[in-house]
Amino acid sequence: MASFEHQQHRDPARILLLEDSNLDAELICQHLEQLQPAPEVRRAVNRAEFIAALDDIGYDVILADFSLPDFDGMAALQLAHSRVPETPFIFVSGVLGEEAAIESFRRGATDYVLKQRLIRLAAAVERALAEANERAERRRGELHRELLVRELSHRVKNTMAMVMSIVRRTARNTGSVEDYVENLMGRLRAMADAHALLFETNWNRASLMDVVQRTLAAKAHHANRVDVAAGSYTPFDPKSALAFSMVLNELITNAIKYGSLSNDSGRVLLSWSIDQRENGDEMVNFRWQERGGPEVSQPGIQSFGTTLIKRTIEYELLGETELDYAKEGLTCTIAFPLRPIEEAAPGASLSSFGLHGTEDFRH
């Protein structure tokens, strides 16, 4: 049973009292004043008032006499269970007899307090409130678990769909088994690292800096030649963090194979900033700039990596991507709105990513 001291931290209990006797109602209210904080009591004296009260606002506890002029307490109990089945129902009756109490419990009453022993009424109400709160907590926990299971199932399906698409597309334009294994494992590792990062944050949110650090850590041999000019704190919802990690993986993998990290002197400058538009929206401006590598030229066909980058930014982050193949090095500029986490767009399908076409960055 919850203590009175503990109950001081809750809102006043809302109690519906079905009682036709003015004297008995006054005595009951006096005993209820022992509760802290003092409850809010609404009284009904007949069937019509009781039904109107049930349909009005929610109550934490219902107290009812067993014998009433126009209907009995059992009928009141049935009405309450049909309309507010989770609300504790306590009989406060002058009717003596073990049979009456047993029958009330059989029909779902929470307790049976005799008017001759109103001294135990406050404790009975306290216990009913505590038990109702425990049941509500269990229901919330069960609902939360159900939501987690459904969300996990949804994420697993999306992840498997993305994996299968990446497997097919990586194989489509790979010249050798060795290249296929290297490219595929790099993309899958990027997905795994992003999931690990999100798991560490309880699948809540991750910053852009978190994503950058985790992605670069997977390329530790080359990461010391990537200069990061960190901008303002940029929070990502889980889906956006996963999407952006895939984009970064494509950029750094391409730089290692063909760009400024493919030799011993090239470097990458990675930076971002947050700008505010006239309408008040905040935009993230991300820049990947390669210098010191081999001379760059425009690819003949759009690769799978390029498709993945552009479609991911467009559909997952609602942004835009620009790839500049200047001779001195590739520059990738990405702009997307910084949305509150709760406003993050729902996950795009794999077809939205454009991962089902025939094109296959350079690998």
Side-chain angles (χ1 to χ4, degrees), residues 159-189:
T159 299
M160 293 305 298
M162 181 178 285
V163 168
M164 288 187 288
S165 179
I166 288 176
V167 169
R168 290 194 303 269
R169 293 299 311 280
T170 302
R172 194 184 301 275
N173 292 81
T174 302
S176 66
V177 173
E178 291 77 11
D179 286 342
Y180 169 70
V181 171
E182 182 181 355
N183 294 338
L184 177 61
M185 292 304 295
R187 285 165 179 152
L188 297 182
R189 190 179 300 111

Side-chain angles (χ1 to χ4, degrees), residues 84-143:
V84 286
E86 302 299 329
T87 303
F89 190 104
I90 300 176
F91 277 112
V92 184
S93 174
V95 177
L96 297 173
E98 185 177 344
E99 291 184 2
I102 292 175
E103 180 63 15
S104 69
F105 288 134
R106 189 184 70 81
R107 296 197 185 189
T110 306
D111 208 337
Y112 193 101
V113 178
L114 289 172
K115 291 181 178 179
Q116 295 87 334
R117 298 190 61 191
L118 286 178
I119 190 172
R120 64 176 293 264
L121 178 60
V125 172
E126 287 281 10
R127 182 170 56 251
L129 289 171
E131 291 173 353
N133 184 64
E134 290 177 3
R135 289 194 297 271
E137 288 293 335
R138 285 197 297 271
R139 286 194 298 273
R140 282 192 288 269
E142 291 169 358
L143 177 60

